[in-house]
Amino acid sequence: GGVEPTNHISLERINSEVTVMRRNFATVRQVVFRGESGKLVPFVVTAHDAKVAAAEMRLMQALRVLNKVLRSRKETRKRGVAFFVPQVVPLLGTAALTQNALLVTSLQEALVHAGARSGQPIDAGIRAFRDALGESGDDIASRVVAWRDVSRDIVPPSALARLVAKSFPNPAHLWAFKKHFAVHLALTSLVRHALGAKPRKAADVLFSLQSGE
């Protein structure tokens, strides 16, 4: 009850192929559900800790409430601004199915790709940033200077663009990706600031290569 017909898709089958993929320096398995409309919805099998899962469910509930607020505003509704809130299906006491995008990568992959191009280890930027703060202090001004030095000498601003550019057939699709990515990065940064959450690691910033969400 209470489910809108336009949002309800019956499950037709589960694809027999199981994909093993890397996420947060670990391997996870992905299964794909096919709806009666032909839509493919991938899910990854993730570890399911009761305490962590409860906190994540509260966060997702808060994001769904914020999505209602965003849809109620004319400008955000016109621009399609909304949080991507995955569906989570608990399986057992230690596992769950978490909705995934078909093509997902992370900022960590961008660092790996940039390091491979320059011949530097993937943590070169992090080590240089920490070394710079150790010498000059941990105030805001020192962080800005250290960030600019790392961006200029180790991790170029074009690192992410170089990683995703090959995924799009033309510049128009790349521009649309950049727009959606910037919007969703701003939304998540706003929530992190409002909730006082710790900054996320590059491996935790996951996004779709198709939509930028």
Side-chain angles (χ1 to χ4, degrees):
V3 179
E4 299 181 9
T6 54
N7 295 331
H8 179 75
I9 300 176
S10 298
L11 175 64
E12 182 179 79
R13 70 179 65 175
I14 301 176
N15 288 4
S16 58
E17 181 179 354
V18 177
T19 305
V20 178
M21 55 192 305
R22 190 175 58 170
R23 172 175 289 186
N24 294 352
F25 304 103
T27 55
V28 295
R29 289 172 172 79
Q30 176 179 271
V31 294
V32 178
F33 292 80
R34 181 184 180 91
E36 61 179 356
S37 64
K39 182 179 180 180
L40 300 178
V41 182
F43 283 81
V44 292
V45 182
T46 57
H48 185 75
D49 180 82
K51 293 183 179 180
V52 176
E56 290 180 347
M57 290 301 295
R58 288 194 294 270
L59 175 59
M60 288 189 287
Q61 290 172 353
L63 293 181
R64 291 189 177 98
V65 172
L66 288 175
N67 277 343
K68 292 182 179 180
V69 176
L70 292 172
R71 285 195 296 268
S72 68
R73 307 292 296 181
K74 179 180 178 180
E75 292 300 320
T76 52
R77 183 173 64 251
K78 181 173 65 176
R79 290 171 171 79
V81 177
F83 292 97
F84 172 72
V85 185
Q87 298 293 331
V88 179
V89 182
L91 296 178
L92 300 171
T94 58
L97 288 175
T98 303
Q99 186 180 355
N100 196 30
L102 287 174
L103 293 174
V104 174
T105 187
S106 68
L107 291 183
Q108 182 69 28
E109 294 297 329
L111 290 176
V112 172
H113 187 263
R117 289 176 61 92
S118 62
Q120 299 185 25
I122 61 175
D123 62 342
I126 298 175
R127 288 190 286 107
F129 185 77
R130 290 178 176 176
D131 292 343
L133 292 182
E135 296 174 359
S136 58
D138 196 12
D139 56 279
I140 297 297
S142 299
R143 283 177 171 268
V144 172
V145 172
W147 175 260
R148 289 176 178 172
D149 291 342
V150 170
S151 300
R152 183 188 65 246
D153 302 330
I154 301 177
V155 183
S158 60
L160 179 59
R162 289 176 177 175
L163 173 66
V164 303
K166 59 184 179 181
S167 301
F168 301 98
N170 55 60
H173 286 79
L174 179 59
W175 181 87
F177 166 85
K178 290 181 177 180
K179 178 183 177 182
H180 282 90
F181 179 80
V183 167
H184 284 273
L185 186 61
L187 285 174
T188 54
S189 299
L190 175 63
V191 170
R192 185 182 65 80
H193 176 74
L195 298 180
K198 295 181 179 180
R200 294 182 296 172
K201 298 178 293 184
D204 295 332
V205 183
L206 303 173
F207 56 92
S208 169
L209 285 173
Q210 292 180 319
S211 64
E213 296 180 350

